[in-house]
Amino acid sequence: QVQLVESGGGVVQPGGSLRLSCAASGFTFRNYGMHWVRQAPGKGLEWVTFIQSDGFNTYYADSVKGRFTISRDNTKNTLDLQMNSLRGEDTAVYYCASDIMTPFDYWGQGALVTVSS
Amino acid sequence: DVVMTQSPLSLPVTLGQPASISCRSSQSLVYSDGNTYLNWFQQRPGQSPRRLIYKVSNRDSGVPDRFSGSGSGTDFTLKISRVEAEDVGVYYCMQATDWPPFTFGPGTKVDIK
C-alpha cells in the first residue's frame, strides 16, 4: 500500500533553514509527480510546491519562491524540501502528497515546522 | 490565480440527516482535455487530509457511497446523504485545472448539532 512518511520537522529561528524529507513506498516513485502542501495552525490548506516525475520541472507558490527548493531522489524514493530564510508565517504542518493516478491522491501524516526565536 | 470559495463555512448537522457543501471557482475548471479537475478532501480532527472525490464526481477507493460530488464549470457540490459521527471534520474543495498554483477553498467545518 502507498505510504508517505515525512521527517525533519522542528523549531528554527527566523532567517534559519530546515530540510524536510518524505519517504515514499508502495508505488513506483520515479513515475509520479509529488507535492508539498502546508497548513498553518488553525488554518486551511496551502499548496507550496510541485515536482514532476523526472525532477527537472518544479513549480512554487509565490509565498515561497526563491526561498524553498523541492527535489527528489528517484533511486532512494525520497522527496525533499529545503527551506531557507524562514519566517514566522512559514510555521505550519507540511504534508507531502502524490499524483499517482490523479492529483493529490495520497498524503503523508505531516511534519511540524515552527519558526520562532 | 483561480480563487475557490465555499459555503457555508460552518455546517452543524443532525446525525442521519443530509448535508451539502457548495464550492465555486473564479473561472471554469474545464481543462483542455475535457476533464474538470475538482477534488474534495476531508480532514478529520488531528488527521491528515484525505481525498474523497476527484474529477468532480469520482469517489476514491474506500470512500462510503453516502458521499457524492456533482457540478460543472464553476459550481460544484459535495453531498453527504446521511451524516454519521465519523464525518465530523473540515471539508475542502481544490482545483487542479489551472496551475500553478493549485488552490484550495477555505474549508467547511462540519460538526454535529
Side-chain angles (χ1 to χ4, degrees):
Chain A
Q1 70 283 19
V2 172
Q3 275 203 309
L4 299 171
V5 179
E6 299 92 339
S7 61
V11 180
V12 60
Q13 291 188 338
S17 299
L18 202 63
R19 190 176 185 91
L20 301 181
S21 289
C22 170
S25 60
F27 64 104
T28 307
F29 180 74
R30 64 179 179 271
N31 288 348
Y32 303 104
M34 296 290 296
H35 303 265
W36 287 98
V37 177
R38 68 184 180 183
Q39 186 171 37
K43 303 297 184 183
L45 300 170
E46 178 190 17
W47 172 79
V48 175
T49 179
F50 171 65
I51 186 168
Q52 292 190 332
S53 58
D54 59 9
F56 290 120
N57 292 309
T58 59
Y59 306 86
Y60 296 91
D62 286 346
S63 57
V64 306
K65 202 172 293 182
R67 300 187 299 122
F68 289 14
T69 303
I70 189 172
S71 61
R72 62 191 297 160
D73 186 332
N74 286 344
T75 65
K76 296 181 179 177
N77 293 350
T78 56
L79 173 74
D80 288 339
L81 182 65
Q82 177 65 42
M83 303 182 291
N84 298 331
S85 303
L86 282 161
R87 307 166 180 166
E89 55 264 38
D90 297 319
T91 294
V93 175
Y94 286 74
Y95 300 99
C96 61
S98 63
D99 278 8
I100 298 172
M101 297 298 291
T102 48
F104 300 89
D105 46 8
Y106 294 92
W107 294 58
Q109 87 288 350
L112 176 62
V113 173
T114 302
V115 183
S116 174
S117 54
Chain B
D1 297 358
V2 178
V3 177
M4 306 297 291
T5 56
Q6 290 181 229
S7 62
L9 298 183
S10 178
L11 182 58
V13 296
T14 301
L15 290 174
Q17 292 301 302
S20 180
I21 300 170
S22 173
C23 172
R24 288 200 168 124
S25 57
S26 60
Q27 62 192 63
S28 174
L29 297 185
V30 180
Y31 188 56
S32 54
D33 63 3
N35 287 309
T36 299
Y37 293 96
L38 186 283
N39 294 339
W40 287 97
F41 297 89
Q42 174 195 61
Q43 188 174 31
R44 291 170 171 156
Q47 294 188 12
S48 304
R50 166 200 183 194
R51 198 178 68 180
L52 298 177
I53 302 285
Y54 63 96
K55 288 194 285 185
V56 180
S57 60
N58 297 273
R59 263 191 311 274
D60 274 282
S61 175
V63 174
D65 60 8
R66 64 179 180 275
F67 289 94
S68 64
S70 63
S72 62
T74 61
D75 289 338
F76 305 94
T77 302
L78 176 70
K79 291 183 179 176
I80 310 174
S81 59
R82 295 173 304 281
V83 172
E84 297 189 7
E86 66 179 16
D87 300 336
V88 165
V90 182
Y91 292 79
Y92 298 92
C93 60
M94 188 220 76
Q95 68 84 21
T97 292
D98 185 7
W99 61 272
F102 299 88
T103 48
F104 291 87
T108 294
K109 184 175 183 179
V110 172
D111 59 13
I112 305 300
K113 282 182 183 174

